[in-house]
Amino acid sequence: MNTCTATPAYVNAQKAQLVGENFFIQQFQVSCLGQFSYYIESNKEAAIIDPMRDYEEYIKFCETRNSVLKYVILTHIHADFVAGHVDLAKITGAQIVLGPQAITQYQAKIAQDEELLPLGSTSLRVLHTPGHTMESSCFVLVVDGKDYAIFSGDSLFLEEVGRPDLASKSSGLTTQQLASLLYHSLRNKILKLNDDVILYPGHGAGSACGKAIGAGTVSTIGEQKLKNWALQNITEEEFVTTSTDIPAPPQYFFHDVQLNRQGANDLQNIKSKVTKALSYQEFTQIAAEGVLILDSRDIVTKGIIKGSINITQVATLASFVGILFKPDQKIIIVADEGKEEQTIIRLLRIGYENILGYLEGGFDNYVRNGGEVQQLNIVDLKDFLDTKGQPQNHVFIDCRNPVEFKTSGIVPGSLMIPLFQIENQLDLIPKDKTLHIYCRSGARAKTAATILLKHGYSDFVLIQNAGLEHIVKEHQIQVQKIE
């Protein structure tokens, strides 16, 4: 199953699909963004919470279940992806629902705190939990008068909470003030729920909406009372200090907030406009204008198109693009044949719509026509660590995130330059030495290498689909600890 589409998560043991006597819950996962959305049904009435922009799977699911979509619910105005709520409402006639204080430019029900939304023989109770944003709300499924499950959006994750730094500009509050609101929301609302209430979070591990979200997809309030640092007996000051110690959000977040507030362009219209096959001649002509050549291929051992940036489909393509490039960036695509539309959809999910097309026939077509190719020196682990007796002529570059430097250590002596800072720190990277570039899995290292190639670097080595963990395991390297 391709979990980078909005596909159902059939994991009954983890309650990702839950069937009750008079209700049904289905969790949808989009792992490349660490995003969860939910389908809830009772007596053939359905609600969808936090849908992705590519909404077709939800429509199909409703048809399969023979249900009528009554509500499309946003737990808040999202920053990390463009939601499909407006398109879903137009197609199905469902009512868009957001929590208190939400401001939108489309028709929506702004629910009140503790309001009950009838759904078949159940209901969804609104819990206003400001902090991540001012309108952030959780929705509690009430079955036979009992709180059964909570859909917590970005207020509470597994072992983490939502970042409190995204709504400062729109709310007029500081990040610290928003963190204080979240501290009280957790204690005055969520912690008052019974321990057996099932927790369905808005995001999982890998999402930038929380600092260190734990593994897993489903939990309970009781389990999080034991495992989640934010629910422990800590002071407000301690909570604020910890929750605000977080890297800056990706630049595209604020672009997506605006799209979700005003309503994004119709998905089918924009998709048909940008899904355009380009001949070799058309592609090279557009490339010469200085646009971003986005290479989404998984395997690049044959080389890359000169000047292109490789961000593989296996990696978090959408979030990497959103970190490295501005939302108005003009883009042409080189993809594995048959995966062009997947690349386009991932870009549209984060509101990157300035796509001029994709190279018909892909990389092989480019080579057949004599296009200029650059090589990436991808080697095995042994050769990666080999400095040929001249360590002074070699530099290791760790392009992971700062939190990973601290938790896992580094190859001794490495330059610590996160991927998103590579272009801003070229003055630290020597051109007269062999660069050994690594990350956790190899994906970020490939992207970093293609960025460096574009800036005139050529002497470097990479490991194919491997990173620090493999280096340590295979060669017993003693990592350098970072405080």
Side-chain angles (χ1 to χ4, degrees):
M1 181 182 297
N2 180 2
T3 55
C4 283
T5 57
T7 50
Y10 297 109
V11 191
N12 287 294
Q14 295 182 339
K15 299 185 175 65
Q17 184 187 87
L18 188 59
V19 182
E21 185 176 339
N22 56 353
F23 69 91
F24 176 92
I25 298 171
Q26 178 67 61
Q27 182 186 67
F28 289 75
Q29 300 182 36
V30 178
S31 61
C32 53
L33 284 171
Q35 195 268 347
F36 301 135
S37 53
Y38 297 93
Y39 171 95
I40 308 146
E41 176 197 315
S42 178
N43 295 351
K44 298 302 179 183
E45 288 188 344
I48 292 175
I49 295 179
D50 293 337
M52 293 297 299
R53 188 177 192 181
D54 40 321
Y55 55 80
E56 294 95 333
E57 288 295 330
Y58 307 111
I59 298 289
K60 292 176 184 177
F61 201 79
C62 287
E63 291 173 349
T64 301
R65 298 284 304 174
N66 193 28
S67 63
V68 175
L69 189 58
K70 186 175 184 179
Y71 305 116
V72 182
I73 298 171
L74 292 192
T75 54
H76 61 292
I77 303 293
H78 294 280
D80 62 309
F81 69 96
V82 178
H85 55 304
V86 173
D87 281 346
L88 268 175
K90 285 180 181 178
I91 293 168
T92 66
Q95 184 176 45
I96 298 173
V97 179
L98 292 98
Q101 301 186 37
I103 299 173
T104 69
Q105 296 175 27
Y106 43 82
Q107 187 173 2
K109 174 181 175 59
I110 308 304
Q112 300 301 307
D113 188 27
E114 297 292 340
E115 182 174 349
L116 290 175
L117 304 174
L119 186 70
S121 61
T122 68
S123 61
L124 290 165
R125 188 171 85 254
V126 181
L127 287 186
H128 187 210
T129 51
H132 176 64
T133 66
M134 289 306 295
E135 76 283 350
S136 284
S137 297
C138 303
F139 292 80
V140 177
L141 178 64
V142 181
V143 179
D144 298 328
K146 181 181 183 295
D147 294 342
Y148 193 87
I150 180 171
F151 302 88
S152 60
D154 286 20
S155 294
L156 182 66
F157 302 130
L158 272 60
E159 302 175 32
E160 190 53 273
V161 292
R163 57 190 307 150
D165 61 341
L166 300 180
S168 293
K169 186 175 180 180
S170 60
S171 67
L173 300 177
T174 67
T175 296
Q176 287 70 27
Q177 288 171 322
L178 287 163
S180 292
L181 285 175
L182 183 54
Y183 175 84
H184 291 289
S185 292
L186 294 171
R187 280 148 183 79
N188 296 335
K189 296 292 180 69
I190 294 177
L191 274 173
K192 291 186 176 180
L193 296 172
N194 291 335
D195 287 358
D196 61 351
V197 171
I198 299 168
L199 172 67
Y200 289 107
H203 293 288
S207 169
C209 289
K211 182 165 61 175
I213 302 174
T217 62
V218 181
S219 184
T220 64
I221 293 299
E223 184 176 40
Q224 289 309 298
K225 285 179 181 179
L226 295 174
K227 293 183 176 182
N228 196 315
W229 70 268
L231 302 185
Q232 305 310 304
N233 185 24
I234 58 176
T235 66
E236 182 175 342
E237 182 180 2
E238 289 172 324
F239 178 89
V240 170
T241 298
T242 301
S243 64
T244 56
D245 179 20
I246 191 168
Q251 59 181 328
Y252 81 92
F253 270 29
F254 302 100
H255 171 69
D256 283 17
V257 167
Q258 184 57 34
L259 287 179
N260 285 322
R261 196 181 303 281
Q262 70 187 26
N265 293 322
D266 178 88
L267 176 64
Q268 298 306 324
N269 286 343
I270 193 65
K271 188 165 71 169
S272 63
K273 177 182 176 182
V274 302
T275 308
K276 179 182 178 182
L278 302 172
S279 67
Y280 171 79
Q281 290 75 20
E282 291 172 323
F283 181 87
T284 53
Q285 182 178 353
I286 295 172
E289 298 172 0
V291 305
L292 168 63
I293 306 172
L294 176 62
D295 182 343
S296 65
R297 294 176 301 142
D298 297 336
I299 307 298
V300 292
T301 50
K302 294 180 181 179
I304 64 169
I305 293 172
K306 184 178 181 181
S308 65
I309 303 298
N310 175 255
I311 305 179
T312 174
Q313 289 262 21
V314 175
T316 48
L317 182 143
S319 59
F320 280 17
V321 170
I323 289 170
L324 293 169
F325 305 103
K326 295 182 179 179
D328 60 356
Q329 173 71 56
K330 293 181 179 179
I331 301 171
I332 51 176
I333 294 167
V334 182
D336 290 316
E337 284 199 76
K339 293 186 178 181
E340 298 88 356
E341 187 172 335
Q342 287 183 29
T343 301
I344 289 169
I345 282 294
R346 294 184 194 192
L347 294 173
L348 295 180
R349 281 178 179 162
I350 61 168
Y352 280 54
E353 300 179 354
N354 208 351
I355 304 167
L356 306 181
Y358 64 89
L359 176 59
E360 189 172 23
F363 181 77
D364 290 343
N365 181 31
Y366 184 84
V367 173
R368 282 194 299 269
N369 279 278
E372 188 172 359
V373 172
Q374 294 176 301
Q375 296 298 324
L376 298 177
N377 187 16
I378 301 175
V379 300
D380 61 24
L381 276 170
K382 180 177 180 296
D383 289 337
F384 180 80
L385 292 170
D386 184 7
T387 57
K388 298 177 174 61
Q390 297 178 314
Q392 69 276 11
N393 293 329
H394 299 258
V395 174
F396 286 83
I397 297 178
D398 189 327
C399 61
R400 296 173 301 149
N401 295 328
V403 66
E404 294 173 278
F405 301 152
K406 294 181 180 180
T407 56
S408 305
I410 63 172
V411 172
S414 296
L415 291 178
M416 295 175 287
I417 307 178
L419 173 62
F420 60 87
Q421 294 179 3
I422 288 283
E423 283 198 296
N424 298 326
Q425 298 194 25
L426 294 174
D427 57 325
L428 299 179
I429 305 174
K431 284 190 174 180
D432 60 348
K433 296 185 178 183
T434 301
L435 309 177
H436 299 245
I437 309 171
Y438 68 94
C439 57
R440 184 179 63 84
S441 66
R444 282 173 286 184
K446 280 195 298 182
T447 301
T450 56
I451 292 173
L452 291 173
L453 266 179
K454 193 171 182 179
H455 287 279
Y457 292 81
S458 59
D459 188 6
F460 53 79
V461 292
L462 306 168
I463 324 171
Q464 178 69 38
N465 299 326
L468 180 65
E469 181 179 340
H470 302 84
I471 294 171
V472 172
K473 181 179 179 181
E474 295 295 326
H475 294 276
Q476 284 96 45
I477 294 294
Q478 186 68 40
V479 299
Q480 176 185 341
K481 296 295 184 182
I482 303 298
E483 299 298 329

